[in-house]
Amino acid sequence: MTVLKDRVTSRMVAPVMRRRLNPFLMVAVGAVLVVVLTYTLPPFRTYQLATIGAYLCVTAGLTVLTGLNGQLSLGHGALMATGAYTLALWQNKFNLLAVGIVVAILVTTVAGLVIGLAAARLRGPYLAGLTLAVAVVVPSVASTFDETFNSDQGLSVILNPPPESMTVEQWQAWLCWGGALVTTLVLALVTRGRFGRDMRAVRDDETAAKLAGISIARTQVWTFVISAACAGLGGALFAVLAQSVSPGAFPLTLSLFLVMAIVIGGLGRLTGAVIGAFLLVALPAVAHEIGEASGSQRLEGNLALTFFGVVLVVVMLAAPGGLASLRLPRSWRARLSRKPAHRAGS
């Protein structure tokens, strides 16, 4: 009986251990890939790689909030601004980057808690309207209190030079992707646990979730807080990349781009967040090159939004679940899964 019990227990634990190990393995592979790319890409491409990592912190938290919990936020650009300004103020006074990033996350978490408590009482367009108002108000606050935030000119971010063994772009890429990989690892573990099941239950049917003993308001508030913390980290990393912060760096269109990016990538999937972060860098870069070639700054400003709109329509028609939901053709999957026939007598 003891042997049988051990076998049953091992069969039950093995799949759980595999699920727990997968995120760690993917993070390790991602870390190795980033290190290799930083030594092979030119400086500007390495800077773009760092920018993708900073965006990934935000898109990962937003796709969990919207895709797994069903809360639509149009104010994550404002949460990024909160983290960026917090880091700038901290660095200009203390110049301790690691502590400053933690402080930026904590301040944005508190802001997310306040917004989440209000958002837990709202549904549908009312929730979107609240977060949209936040996206409009926060940059206006930075412009109004010019003594603290230096109005529209913004604040510079004091940073110590990187180690002599690496370039500035390499250091930025390692810092941003370090934060991005930790963020995705934590979110992967959270969404695979009990809290992740609660988020999905609230998203699918609030009445059934409430009957199952799940606190609707608590689940929604904590999900918003987690997503806000991710946005604060992304905003702090953007402040490090730009070495300055200003209201113009976090316009309303940034929040709209973030939502479109996670929808195109695939709602509720961390792989979709990676795709969305890549698009947030790639599509504006293409629009910038076309705008420079045409010599029209107005065309450049409108092209990025046009590209996102066209890609969004095409993806929703071809793959309603986003690019992350695409699968290989059935014939390809059959060939890959087909096992070679064993010879007789072997």
Side-chain angles (χ1 to χ4, degrees):
M1 292 293 295
T2 303
V3 175
L4 179 60
K5 182 179 179 180
D6 292 341
R7 289 181 178 178
V8 173
T9 304
S10 63
R11 290 181 180 179
M12 294 176 62
V13 172
V16 176
M17 291 300 295
R18 285 195 295 269
R19 290 199 300 268
R20 295 285 178 90
L21 289 176
N22 280 338
F24 291 96
L25 178 61
M26 296 304 295
V27 167
V29 172
V32 173
L33 181 61
V34 168
V35 171
V36 172
L37 289 175
T38 55
Y39 280 105
T40 56
L41 293 175
F44 179 68
R45 298 303 179 188
T46 304
Y47 175 81
Q48 289 182 316
L49 179 67
T51 307
I52 294 174
Y55 271 128
L56 178 55
C57 297
V58 188
T59 56
L62 184 57
T63 197
V64 169
L65 176 69
T66 304
L68 296 184
N69 195 229
Q71 298 186 71
L72 176 60
S73 172
L74 300 178
H76 265 53
L79 295 173
M80 291 177 63
T82 303
Y85 270 98
T86 302
L87 180 71
L89 293 172
W90 177 273
Q91 284 298 110
N92 293 340
K93 189 172 184 179
F94 301 104
N95 195 16
L96 297 172
L97 182 58
V99 181
I101 291 176
V102 175
V103 171
I105 295 173
L106 293 177
V107 171
T108 313
T109 300
V110 174
L113 177 61
V114 174
I115 300 172
L117 289 172
R121 301 175 178 272
L122 302 175
R123 298 293 183 274
Y126 302 102
L127 172 60
L130 171 65
T131 56
L132 181 64
V134 172
V136 174
V137 168
V138 170
S140 301
V141 170
S143 300
T144 303
F145 296 94
D146 53 350
E147 294 184 358
T148 303
F149 303 109
N150 199 22
S151 190
D152 293 336
Q153 296 180 359
L155 299 172
S156 60
V157 180
I158 299 176
L159 296 172
N160 294 324
E164 296 180 357
S165 59
M166 65 180 69
T167 64
V168 175
E169 291 80 10
Q170 287 176 331
W171 175 77
Q172 290 174 334
W174 291 1
L175 176 66
C176 292
W177 274 96
L181 292 175
V182 170
T183 299
T184 53
L185 176 62
V186 172
L187 291 177
L189 296 178
V190 168
T191 55
R192 291 177 180 222
R194 178 179 178 180
F195 188 71
R197 294 192 294 271
D198 291 348
M199 286 192 293
R200 294 179 179 88
V202 172
R203 175 200 62 187
D204 295 338
D205 193 329
E206 291 188 7
T207 302
K210 189 174 183 179
L211 292 175
I214 299 174
S215 175
I216 307 299
R218 184 176 60 188
T219 302
Q220 291 179 332
V221 169
W222 280 113
T223 306
F224 200 98
V225 166
I226 293 172
S227 183
C230 297
L233 173 58
L237 294 176
F238 266 101
V240 173
L241 289 174
Q243 299 184 18
S244 65
V245 292
S246 63
F250 305 96
L252 177 60
T253 53
L254 175 60
S255 299
L256 301 179
F257 283 153
L258 290 171
V259 173
M260 287 191 288
I262 62 170
V263 173
I264 294 171
L267 280 175
R269 295 180 171 91
L270 292 179
T271 52
V274 176
I275 297 172
F278 173 79
L279 293 176
L280 284 169
V281 176
L283 293 184
V286 174
H288 177 71
E289 292 181 359
I290 295 176
E292 282 190 343
S294 64
S296 174
Q297 294 183 352
R298 181 177 298 180
L299 177 63
E300 177 185 341
N302 295 328
L303 271 180
L305 186 60
T306 303
F307 283 169
F308 266 104
V310 171
V311 173
L312 178 63
V313 172
V314 172
V315 171
M316 289 300 98
L317 293 176
L323 294 177
S325 65
L326 292 176
R327 294 292 184 269
L328 292 174
R330 185 175 300 178
S331 59
W332 292 12
R333 295 200 304 268
R335 293 178 182 177
L336 292 175
S337 61
R338 187 180 302 164
K339 297 181 179 179
H342 293 281
R343 294 181 180 179
S346 60

